[in-house]
Amino acid sequence: MYIFIDTADTDELKSAFDTGLVDGCTTNPSLIAKSGRDFKEVIAEICEMTPGPVSAEVASIEHETMLAEALALAEIADNVVIKVPLTWDGLKTCAALSAEEIQTNVTLCFSVAQAWLAAKSGATFISPFIGRLDDTGVDGMELIHDIRALYDVHGYETEILAASIRTQEHVEQAALAGADVATIPPKIFNELLSHPLTEKGLDAFMADWTKTGQSIL
Ligand code: G3P
């Protein structure tokens, strides 16, 4: 499963990319607003930080303007992926971009039907929002399983990009459910490696090694 980081904060992205384990980035209008930066500038900077996919979302809701915005964003860098919402206009734009071989990420997905229509529109990625479904009392992870089953039985190549990740368990379960990608908030990513028994075990190894009085070099 590929790891994307869900942020427009370039400082957080730099430390995540420095691990060598991060494959791309997703942004959305809320994350761009939070960054306080010029949209195109921050996307260009992020595209310089990674050769992997960088999602940049259109800001219009009607097809013609969406398409114009998408083409302007695609000019920024070859690894820009255009994010469009799961609406009829969004899917029309997705299909038009797919025909131009511009990568797309169809976002705000909350049902199997939506994921099916996005795949039929040629979406490169589909973003089912796990956390926001959980917030409504619906099991968001079940949607990942269902989309995986649908795509596999019909041979759709759209990649499942598990989004709205709120916990380490979401990351683990998404990987087990067969998601192709998880886009992870920086805080969750930074905590993925931690386990108290690892820290405790390493402390004990170091203490015992020190007692030997030896050195390897
Ligand atoms: O960026 C798309 C998705 O990851 C947003 O997540 O936490 O705002 O539901 P969240």
Side-chain angles (χ1 to χ4, degrees), residues 2 16 54 63 108 123 128 133 149 165 167 197:
Y2 291 105
V54 176
H63 169 59
L108 290 167
L133 273 172
I165 297 272
T167 63
L197 290 178

Side-chain angles (χ1 to χ4, degrees), residues 28-78:
N28 63 43
S30 303
L31 293 172
I32 295 297
K34 187 179 175 186
S35 77
R37 293 192 53 187
D38 176 87
F39 181 25
K40 289 184 182 178
E41 272 181 22
V42 74
I43 294 298
E45 186 175 332
I46 297 171
C47 287
E48 286 288 315
M49 296 168 80
T50 175
V54 176
S55 286
E57 190 162 342
V58 295
S60 171
I61 57 173
E62 64 82 29
H63 169 59
E64 293 301 324
T65 312
M66 268 188 199
L67 188 55
E69 289 175 345
L71 295 174
L73 291 172
E75 286 292 312
I76 295 172
D78 291 343

Side-chain angles (χ1 to χ4, degrees), residues 53-196:
V54 176
S55 286
E57 190 162 342
V58 295
S60 171
I61 57 173
E62 64 82 29
H63 169 59
E64 293 301 324
T65 312
M66 268 188 199
L67 188 55
E69 289 175 345
L71 295 174
L73 291 172
E75 286 292 312
I76 295 172
D78 291 343
N79 53 328
V80 166
V81 174
I82 303 301
K83 231 180 184 182
V84 294
L86 236 157
T87 62
W88 294 119
D89 281 65
L91 294 187
K92 194 173 174 183
T93 304
C94 176
L97 294 170
S98 176
E100 298 296 321
E101 296 188 347
I102 294 172
Q103 291 200 320
T104 54
N105 177 358
V106 178
T107 190
L108 290 167
C109 174
F110 297 97
S111 75
V112 175
Q114 287 180 325
W116 171 47
L117 294 173
K120 284 181 68 69
S121 302
T124 311
F125 299 102
I126 183 70
S127 289
F129 278 32
I130 301 168
R132 294 194 194 185
L133 273 172
D134 287 355
D135 293 345
T136 69
V138 172
D139 179 1
M141 201 55 68
E142 193 171 326
L143 178 59
I144 304 292
H145 283 281
D146 291 347
I147 296 171
R148 179 74 284 153
L150 174 84
Y151 283 8
D152 290 351
V153 78
H154 292 287
Y156 290 122
E157 293 183 2
T158 297
E159 294 188 61
I160 302 171
L161 198 168
S164 192
I165 297 272
R166 302 279 172 76
T167 63
Q168 175 169 324
E169 188 184 5
H170 275 166
V171 180
E172 295 164 346
Q173 292 303 314
L176 290 168
D180 299 287
V181 188
T183 192
I184 309 171
K187 183 176 182 302
I188 302 292
F189 174 74
N190 295 334
E191 291 167 356
L192 276 185
L193 199 67
S194 306
H195 193 291

